[in-house]
Structure formats: structure tokens, C-alpha cells
Amino acid sequence: MSSTRTVLICFAIGLNAFCAGGMLTFPIMSPSLAAHNKLSQPQLTTIVLSGMMSQYPIAPFVGYLVDRKGPAICSLIAAFLFVFGFGGFAVEVNNTAIEKASLATFYRLTFYFLLAGLGTVFSYCSSLFSASKLFPSHIGLASGASMALFGLSPFFLSVLATNYFTDPITGLLNVSRYMTFLAFLTAAVYTFSALVLRSAPGAADLTVDIRATEGVGPGESTPLLASDSPSLNPPKIEHTTSEILKTGDFWLLAVFCLLTLGVSEMIISNIGGISMSLPHSLPHLMTGPTTRKSSIAFQVNLISIANTGARILVGILADCISPAATYLPTGVLAFPKKPAISRFVFLFGSAIVLLVTFIWMEVGVQSQGNLWALSIGTGLSYSTVFTVLPALISSLWGINNIGRNFGIMMYAPFTGTPLFSYMYALISASHKEEGETICRGRPCWQLTFYLAIVASCISLFNSIILWRRWRGKI
């Protein structure tokens, strides 16, 4: 592949990831939707969940599409989904500023955000697996860089929203104008990317690259796992879905992802409500709408910055101290150099960070000024899991079907995200005072974080088992 072609593909991958985070800026929209459209906390949770959850059921299909047809078609599909999702949302909000809550408006907004969520998974998989297959020997850095740009996307978009689409008097976002902007932006970006990514490497190119490594010396690719009689019974380099589902490693990893990613996405989706439930650090600013709005945007930015930094650093660090293993055509699981530490250590660290963060929520958070630890801790843990997950999945079950296998694993957060999100929404609604649209006070989320502590302990236990099982191997 020529250097010009590689640079152009990298630019398209980066642009894809950088503009894919519109759905994750929902927390800065929620105060406006509550004020102008009279939506309750459970309704706001349902809308954002429709976007978050719609990604996961089709993730195996999208991964398969990238594996077999390439990323260009996924980018084009994302363009259509974003235009109809963001555009429809903008029209609906603009036409329904009301005095009473409308179920019809709620249902339509939920549907439009669902389309935006589908667009997100098409764009995310297009950039992630294009990067992974373009640089298979540096999969940690490649996936980490594309994920970092995806993590930076909400920060970039929230800054634009705050500076150009927010009423300076009320401090509320003009959701209709902002969503219209997102519709035009994503239409242009993903149409352009679809044209460029037609030349991105596909499954055939990857097979050639992997076979080219056969016969390399021990200094370049050290065998990791091989059968006792390779010529008679070589390890499988292709695994069917049923074979993967029968392994204990899959279920340990799936439960870890269900709990860790589920609770993290609950926080990311509802950081606006959590922030508004607490008083501002300065009493004389407690009732200022602009201050409350800027506090929510600040938390969104902290999550985004932590996401971005962790994805870059973890991707580079993982490639240096724990290079990803790959199956050679002979059936030998090999990597460029012997790992200094297992990649499962990163999952262990992620669980520790969440556990400490949630304990802090219970004992140390009394005002919005204390929430920085929750935003940073969630961003760090969430991004670390997603950064190392592609390499872990490719090492366990091969890279040829990484898109499909990654998509199967995404059913875990598909289960965990609504579980924790509705738990938060119902607990919050049960403590809301009559006449209020937003719950106020620590009781709004205190029980939720007690349960999140238990979930983090289970995740920690699972990561230790996986670490011990694959120590010195992956």
C-alpha cells in the first residue's frame, strides 16, 4: 500500500471517529428537554438508552460487514442514519415546545435517537476495525488511537454546543439548532469517508499479511501456544460462534464487560442528572441556570478527556509491555516479543479504578465540585476496557473474525447498560419531590452506587481469574 493511500485512509478513519460522538453529548441536552418538552428522568433515560442500546444488537452484523465487505459501506450507512436520526430529532424538538409532557413526542424522540445510536455503531466499527486491520502488528496503538478520537469527539462537540448553541441568559442548549448542525456535519464527513475507505484493507489483504509472517525468526515472532504435534493436531485459528460461547473465558469476560461497561455507560448517560442533583460548591451560585449548565458540560468534557488520554496511553503501553498475540497459518499463537505482563492486568486496573471511584461517591461527594473524580474515574476505566478488548479478543479467538467476535461480546453491555440505567432512573424518580422534573440530593443516586460497588467487586474477581489463567500467554 502506498504511503499516500495509507495517510488518506488514516485521515478518513480519524475523521470517522472524531465526529461519531454526538449521541454522547446527550447530558447537555437533557436540561433543555426537561424544561421545554417536560420529559421526566425515566423518559430522558429511555431516550438516551435507545441510542446506547441500539448499538449492541447489531454489532455482530456490523462487525461481519466490516470483515467481509470493508468499512466503506458502513460509513455510508452511518451517514444516512445520522442524517435521519439527528435531523428528525431537531425537527421534533423544534415543533414541540409544550406545557405538558407528550407521549407522542417522547416516542418519536426515542426513535430518532435510536437511529443516531445505529449510526454510531456503524461509524465506530468502521473506524476501529479499519485501524486494527491496517496495522495488525500494532493493534493496541491502532485501536487505541481510533478510540481516543472517538473519546475526544464528545468534548469537541460539547465545546461547540456550549459556545455556539447555548442561550447565554437561560444557560440552556438550543437542541434543535445543535442537532441540525450534527446532521449536516455527519452527512458530509461519512460520505467523504465512504469514498476514501473503499481502498482500505479487507479480509483478503489481512490474510496475505498474516501469511507473510510465516517462517519469521524467533526474534520477530516468538511462538506462544502450540500443540504437542502441530502437524497432526494444530490449534484452530478459526472459531465458530458456538465454540466461543462454550468457553469459560468468554463468560468470565462477558460478565466483566456487562458490569464494568454497563455501570460506566449508566454514568456517562446520566452525568447531567447526577450533577443537577447536587448543590454547587458556592452557595450563592446554586440557583444560576448558566452555572448548572456549565457544570454539566464540564463533567462531559472531563469524561471525554479521560477517555481520550487513557485510550492513547493504554494503547501505547499495552503494545510495549504486552504485545498482542496472533495466530500464524500453522496454528501457532505468536507475538512479536514476549509480553512483560498480561493484558488482563488492564482489566484488573479498570475494575480497581471503578471500585475506588464509587466508594468516593458514597463517602466524599457532597457538591458538584466533588464530581470530577466520578467523571475522570469512569472515563479512565471505560476507555481502558474498550482499548484492550479488541486485542484480547483477537488473541483468544483470532483476528480474521474480530469484528464478529467483538460484536458478540457487545451483547454484554447491551444487557448491563439498561440494567444499571433504569435502576438509576427509578431510584432517582422515587426520591423526586412533587412538582420537580429533576431529583435533588444524594438519595437520588446513593443506592445506585452501593450496588455499583458490588458490581465492581465481581468484575475485579473475574479479572483476577482471567489474569491467572492466561499469565505468561496473553
Side-chain angles (χ1 to χ4, degrees), residues 54-380:
S54 65
Q55 304 173 73
Y56 297 125
I58 67 163
F61 166 73
V62 179
Y64 175 85
L65 197 61
V66 174
D67 289 336
R68 297 294 178 262
K69 302 296 181 182
I73 184 65
C74 292
S75 192
L76 188 60
I77 293 172
F80 282 102
L81 289 169
F82 278 137
V83 166
F84 286 107
F86 290 143
F89 201 98
V91 171
E92 185 65 29
V93 170
N94 186 59
N95 294 336
T96 55
I98 53 176
E99 295 299 323
K100 280 189 172 183
S102 167
L103 280 179
T105 295
F106 163 63
Y107 291 142
R108 285 192 289 267
L109 291 177
T110 301
F111 172 71
Y112 289 133
F113 219 69
L114 182 146
L115 294 181
L118 293 176
T120 302
V121 71
F122 273 97
S123 62
Y124 180 82
C125 287
S126 175
S127 60
L128 174 61
F129 297 120
S130 296
S132 298
K133 292 185 176 185
L134 187 62
F135 303 103
S137 60
H138 299 284
I139 189 172
L141 178 59
S143 60
S146 61
M147 289 180 182
L149 289 173
F150 178 74
L152 190 61
S153 179
F155 172 78
F156 167 70
L157 295 175
S158 65
V159 168
L160 291 180
T162 302
N163 290 323
Y164 297 104
F165 300 98
T166 298
D167 188 321
I169 305 301
T170 64
L172 294 176
L173 179 71
N174 187 321
V175 177
S176 180
R177 287 181 55 207
Y178 174 59
M179 296 299 264
T180 300
F181 163 75
L182 289 182
F184 280 106
L185 175 68
T186 51
V189 165
Y190 291 102
T191 301
F192 166 78
S193 295
L195 297 174
V196 173
L197 292 176
R198 288 183 302 173
S199 60
D205 302 311
L206 182 64
T207 302
V208 172
D209 291 340
I210 291 177
R211 288 180 177 175
T213 65
E214 186 174 9
V216 295
E220 296 172 288
S221 185
T222 305
L224 177 59
L225 293 176
S227 63
D228 293 331
S229 304
S231 60
L232 299 176
N233 185 30
K236 292 193 62 162
I237 60 174
E238 297 287 345
H239 296 78
T240 66
T241 300
S242 61
E243 287 173 337
I244 292 173
L245 294 178
K246 290 177 183 177
T247 64
D249 293 329
F250 171 84
W251 292 107
L252 286 169
L253 191 57
V255 171
F256 179 93
C257 291
L258 184 153
L259 298 174
T260 303
L261 299 179
V263 73
S264 296
E265 291 189 345
M266 176 272 291
I267 295 167
I268 292 170
S269 302
N270 295 284
I271 192 65
I274 296 171
S275 179
M276 293 185 70
S277 71
L278 292 168
H280 196 276
S281 299
L282 301 178
H284 65 281
L285 294 177
M286 283 176 61
T287 59
T290 303
T291 300
R292 291 198 303 268
K293 180 67 174 59
S294 62
S295 175
I296 297 171
F298 179 67
Q299 301 305 327
V300 172
N301 291 345
L302 281 181
I303 292 174
S304 180
I305 292 170
N307 252 318
T308 304
R311 290 174 198 260
I312 294 174
L313 294 176
V314 170
I316 295 173
L317 183 62
D319 279 345
C320 290
I321 67 174
S322 183
T326 38
Y327 281 101
L328 297 180
T330 57
V332 176
L333 188 59
F335 39 54
K337 62 181 180 179
K338 187 173 180 59
I341 196 169
S342 170
R343 283 203 176 219
F344 287 108
V345 171
F346 292 97
L347 298 188
F348 172 82
S350 175
I352 286 287
V353 169
L354 277 186
L355 180 59
V356 172
T357 300
F358 298 153
I359 292 174
W360 166 251
M361 281 295 293
E362 294 293 353
V363 302
V365 174
Q366 301 294 332
S367 68
Q368 292 178 8
N370 305 131
L371 276 182
W372 61 269
L374 175 66
S375 299
I376 293 177
T378 300
L380 290 175

